[in-house]
Amino acid sequence: METWKAPFFEASVPDDFLGSERLDKYISSLPQGLGRSKLKSGVQEILVNGKAAKLSCKIRAGDKIQIFWQDNVPDNIEPENIPLKIVYEDDDVCVVNKEQGMVTHPAAGNWTGTLVNALLFHWGRGAVTGVKDGDTPQTLERRRPGIVHRLDKDTRGGRMAPRAVFEPPPC
């Protein structure tokens, strides 16, 4: 059973769990678990059976896990001067050849240096505001403006970004 309420996560390893596994791999495999990047980027304290532990420790059947972390969500997504390889651009869209290693949207562990930060700068836009607090659909949408994709950080390839979703809202 796992319980998750930021910034705290608690899980019990089932008594019928066989063998041992690294704590970070085990937690990320749970349906309500935390991803390994989130664990690495914000963990403040890990307790296994009430004792301090590391992400690399091996867990076993019956272990009780508690994780405390700080998710440093910024107030805004800021424009950043990051060189882009633009394949095509007009008044409506921009097609960028995203390099391997660049994250598309700001997210836990990668709040800067993303394609979104670069496009904001490239188009002369201001910061995307109101991304820090809350988990409403509107707040979450502001954290991931406009780029639909299935390429991960370590994959390079074309991304199409609609300029309209990066426009400031009307007054």
Side-chain angles (χ1 to χ4, degrees):
M1 178 180 115
E2 63 261 8
T3 305
W4 138 231
K5 181 173 172 144
F8 175 75
F9 181 88
E10 186 173 43
S12 297
V13 181
D15 290 332
D16 60 353
F17 184 79
L18 300 175
S20 65
E21 186 172 12
R22 281 179 54 116
L23 182 138
D24 57 348
K25 288 183 88 174
Y26 177 76
I27 294 297
S28 66
S29 73
L30 296 174
Q32 298 298 316
L34 301 166
R36 291 175 78 185
S37 64
K38 185 168 200 149
L39 286 168
K40 285 195 316 189
S41 69
V43 72
Q44 291 185 323
E45 182 179 26
I46 300 169
L47 301 174
V48 175
N49 301 323
K51 296 180 183 172
K54 295 183 179 183
L55 288 171
S56 60
C57 82
K58 300 284 188 171
I59 54 97
R60 291 174 175 72
D63 282 347
K64 308 286 187 243
I65 303 165
Q66 295 176 307
I67 300 173
F68 303 85
W69 79 92
Q70 176 74 34
D71 191 5
N72 296 317
V73 178
D75 292 327
N76 304 312
I77 298 172
E78 300 289 339
E80 294 179 45
N81 187 4
I82 301 169
L84 294 172
K85 291 185 178 177
I86 298 185
V87 177
Y88 174 82
E89 184 172 26
D90 63 23
D91 291 339
D92 298 314
V93 299
C94 181
V95 178
V96 177
N97 186 17
K98 184 198 81 70
E99 292 298 317
Q100 181 177 354
M102 178 183 262
V103 174
T104 301
H105 294 99
N110 296 288
W111 292 109
T112 61
T114 70
L115 181 58
V116 167
N117 299 104
L119 286 170
L120 288 170
F121 182 88
H122 175 72
W123 289 331
R125 303 290 196 271
V128 177
T129 60
V131 300
K132 183 176 182 99
D133 296 318
D135 58 0
T136 66
Q138 295 81 9
T139 300
L140 297 176
E141 185 176 312
R142 281 194 298 278
R143 290 184 193 165
R144 298 180 59 87
I147 304 169
V148 178
H149 67 93
R150 292 300 306 153
L151 299 178
D152 65 17
K153 175 182 176 179
D154 295 323
T155 306
R156 67 179 192 90
R159 299 279 202 278
M160 182 183 297
R163 292 177 70 126
V165 296
F166 285 84
E167 294 291 334
C171 296

